[in-house]
Amino acid sequence: MRVEQSWPEGAHADPCAARERYDADMRASRAAVLELFRVELPVAHMGLVITIIAGVFVGVVWSPRVGVCITGAFAGLFVVALAVALLVGRRGWGAVRAAYKFTFGWANWITP
C-alpha cells in the first residue's frame, strides 16, 4: 500500500528540496536561539554586581532576612547550574564559567 503525502507545493513537489529547506530553517532557528543566550563574562559580572546591590538594598530597606534570601536564591541557582554543567561534561573552570554565565547572564537583557 502506498501512502500519498500532501505537500504545500502540490503533487509535483521535490521531497529532497523540502528536506533541505527544513534543515536550513532549523539551523537558522538554532543559531538565533544560541545568539539570544550568548553571554560575555563582563555582562555576567554586571549581573553579579546588580544582584549584590539589590540584596544589600533590600536587606537595609526591608529586612536583612529577605536580602539573604535573595542572595541565597542566586547562590542556589549557581550551585544547580554548576551541577548541570558538571553532569553535561564540562570540567574545572569551564564548568564554573558556564554556571556563572547562566546565573548572572540575565544582565545581558538590561544592559545596552
Side-chain angles (χ1 to χ4, degrees):
M1 180 196 295
R2 188 176 141 168
V3 177
E4 292 292 324
Q5 289 185 339
S6 170
W7 297 92
E9 294 88 1
H12 302 289
D14 182 14
C16 292
R19 172 58 63 185
E20 289 173 9
R21 281 194 311 274
Y22 173 78
D23 289 340
D25 289 344
M26 288 303 293
R27 280 192 300 274
S29 176
R30 288 182 186 124
V33 169
L34 286 175
E35 184 62 31
L36 176 67
F37 289 110
R38 180 169 289 139
V39 176
E40 299 297 326
L41 207 53
V43 173
H45 292 329
M46 180 63 71
L48 175 64
V49 168
I50 292 170
T51 302
I52 290 172
I53 290 171
V56 169
F57 178 76
V58 168
V60 168
V61 172
W62 204 333
S63 163
R65 185 176 299 163
V66 176
V68 170
C69 286
I70 291 172
T71 307
F74 278 98
L77 179 61
F78 177 79
V79 169
V80 169
L82 181 60
V84 169
L86 290 171
L87 286 173
V88 167
R90 298 217 176 177
R91 296 289 176 243
W93 285 110
V96 172
R97 190 174 296 116
Y100 183 72
K101 286 180 177 182
F102 178 80
T103 305
F104 299 107
W106 54 265
N108 196 28
W109 296 340
I110 62 170
T111 57

